[in-house]
Amino acid sequence: MRIINNRYIIDKMIRKDQVEETYTIKDSWSKDAIYHMRMLDSNKDKETIEYYLEEFIQIAQIKHKNLLSSNDFGIVETINLKKTDNTKYYVVSEYTDWTLLKIQDVTKDLKHRLHLLLDIISLIDYLHFRGITYRVLCPSHIFYSKEKGIKLMNLSVSLTKPITSFNDGFDENFLAPEVLMNNSDFELNSDKYSIGMIIKYLLHDCPLSDSGDHYTYIEDLNLSSTQKEFFDDIINDLTKSMPANRKLSLREIINDIIRVFNLNYSYDLVRERDTLFFNTPIVGLNREINEILATDWKIGKDINYYKGIVIRGGSGLGKTKLLQEASFRLRMRCRTVYNINCSKVFNKQNITKFFNKITEKTPDNVIAKYKDDLSSLIALMTDDYDNYQLNDRLRFFNRISNFFNEISKDNKFYIIIEDFEKTNSIFIQFFDFLIRNIDKNQIFFLLSYNEISRKSDEVSETIYNLAKNLYITFIDLKPLSLDDTGRYIKDVLGIPFIPYNFVTSIYNESKGIPGYISLIIKDLYDREQLYVGENGLWEIRNTDRLKLNIPSNINDALLNQLKRYEDSYLEVIKYLSIFNIKTIKEVILDMVDFDEKKLDAILKDLVKERFLEESIGDLGYYYSLTSEELKRYLYLNMPEDMKLEFHAKAADI
């Protein structure tokens, strides 16, 4: 048995040859489910890997009952807890044991075949709504079950599989001419051609040899002459050689098939499409990401001058998003990355966990050498550090600097420090000593820093002096442009187009601050100003900026969202606002006045609505407020007697 990254358990090999390497796997983070894993070679699959780096976050969010989902993309770091020598990547997707669609396996029942056809067209129509063309719609990408229907191959395969990989001419019959020519300028109409051919495949007697304007249908299906003419017209339109001439609307085709054949086929476009997607690709930060990756290249060549980059910017500008993307990109380059969040880290358990992560890959003899020093440093950072003399502090700092230099000789790594402005004095002193004394181009720091939110002048003075002495440099974040605001809104709504005047209204109110844009969209959605109509399209009740009633600031937007929840939801949020660290579920349960089942439902809703952040730790599930603005606002406006009551409850647990 092999375990990938201490998470994915190899179940069975599906295929391993020069073409591909695939397995069925189990995910230790979920119960019983079987998934599909495809391995990617860093050389042979370079283009696919580059595509996933940019687009997989979008692909993974596209869910539909007739589409196999794409779940995870990453780099193989360990196999059976041992670091790998070769650079390999993986893609995890939904697994099915259904068979590939073969016409001889499909029962000759007209309604059954029409339901299969409607499922395919409905899925493609949804993908068009999301701005995606399913360019290789053919039988080898359709899985079939007589009892359950059809599912199409996941997008992580269908959007990257080379056309030249089809080993016979059968599937090519279903692909549009522009797809076969490998033209990169696909249109949404390209997969309409494939739908026309799928109709022939399901209904015609000789589907691939039929030509002309009228076709021979399977006799056992008992189509009337009117019904045959109906499908003749659809096929002739969808299979025209020029994409622009395929004019029929997929939604109209669905409705017409239901009407002509009097089918009991239901669908709910609002339920299917009424979703906001806040886990979007980075927008407006490509220059900043490229600067970090260029620094990584310089570090590899040992020509980098600085020891750290400070990401500066106000609240909501995307500092966390940039650090998350940088961490992901660096890991995909086989770099080791450690993360620490200064707004949540300073209790003994969390800072111990941070150092444990660093020592996981450290040789035993090195750990033994510095074990006492690490324990002393943790105590120094989390206890009353005034009890430690300056010489003791410097001695600990020097020993830990030696430790970092020793472990980085054979393994360069990054330390990402989030919310540096919220750290305590002893960590500032430790960081200042460390960055001055570590070897250049062995350890590199990435920090986020908000000058306005700093807890003390000490942190700003430290940043200033390090920059003055050329230990660090800066990346300053700015608000999004109007164009990038439009791109971001389109990503959140999951659509390829948005009205210009709506984008302008949001931009003018938000000043291009991504965090505020998200809150405005969420607020408009909650108040049903922004909604999915019965036609399955996003609609805006009034695009006049003056009548949109957009919240005047971030706090107003957050409070508007909270108004629609019952008191128990707000109670949980208020309890969490008193904690400076992530809080385990059992602690929350001890504080509230309702049972665990209700708490689980509330936590699930609040995580889904992005009020809470959920993570897994040694003691189970931890929760914290996603928005520092909301946390600060609630706590500052909480009556003093309520604060005392909440803190007393927390102290008794």
Side-chain angles (χ1 to χ4, degrees), residues 111-265:
K111 287 191 175 181
H112 178 71
R113 294 194 176 201
L114 291 178
H115 272 80
L116 297 180
L117 179 60
L118 289 171
D119 281 346
I120 293 172
I121 301 175
S122 292
L123 169 58
I124 300 303
D125 184 54
Y126 172 71
L127 293 178
H128 287 190
F129 167 76
R130 298 295 306 273
I132 292 174
T133 301
Y134 197 96
R135 66 189 187 107
V136 285
L137 179 55
C138 55
S140 69
H141 277 206
I142 302 174
F143 295 91
Y144 170 69
S145 166
K146 183 178 179 181
E147 294 77 23
K148 299 179 181 179
I150 60 98
K151 279 182 178 283
L152 266 61
M153 180 73 76
N154 54 74
L155 292 175
S156 54
V157 170
S158 68
L159 294 177
T160 59
K161 187 173 182 178
I163 301 303
T164 53
S165 65
F166 292 106
N167 54 18
D168 59 49
F170 177 71
D171 282 321
E172 293 181 2
N173 289 292
F174 294 82
L175 306 183
E178 64 271 20
V179 175
L180 289 173
M181 292 170 62
N182 222 9
N183 188 339
S184 60
D185 298 326
F186 300 120
E187 300 185 25
L188 292 180
N189 286 346
S190 294
D191 46 21
K192 284 185 178 181
Y193 182 96
S194 301
I195 290 174
M197 295 304 297
I198 293 290
I199 294 174
K200 293 175 68 175
Y201 187 60
L202 289 173
L203 303 181
H204 286 190
D205 201 18
C206 301
L208 302 184
S209 59
D210 259 353
S211 61
D213 294 333
H214 300 283
Y215 308 98
T216 304
Y217 291 84
I218 298 171
E219 188 173 343
D220 290 348
L221 296 180
N222 296 316
L223 272 72
S224 68
S225 57
T226 302
Q227 292 169 339
K228 291 177 182 178
E229 289 177 4
F230 167 75
F231 273 123
D232 285 348
D233 292 340
I234 292 175
I235 293 168
N236 289 332
D237 181 273
L238 297 184
T239 57
K240 288 178 178 176
S241 59
M242 297 299 294
N245 293 332
R246 303 166 197 155
K247 297 183 181 297
L248 285 179
S249 157
L250 295 184
R251 185 51 47 190
E252 289 178 2
I253 292 174
I254 292 170
N255 291 333
D256 287 345
I257 291 175
I258 293 172
R259 174 181 55 79
V260 170
F261 292 90
N262 193 27
L263 296 177
N264 181 23
Y265 184 89

Side-chain angles (χ1 to χ4, degrees), residues 23-57:
Y23 302 90
T24 57
I25 62 166
K26 295 180 180 179
D27 184 355
S28 60
W29 291 9
S30 60
K31 294 181 180 179
D32 302 325
I34 299 292
Y35 297 91
H36 180 278
M37 175 179 281
R38 178 165 63 113
M39 292 294 185
L40 301 171
D41 182 85
S42 57
N43 295 316
K44 180 169 66 73
D45 301 307
K46 185 177 180 180
E47 288 187 12
T48 298
I49 293 166
E50 290 295 326
Y51 178 81
Y52 288 159
L53 286 172
E54 299 284 346
E55 301 295 338
F56 194 86
I57 189 172

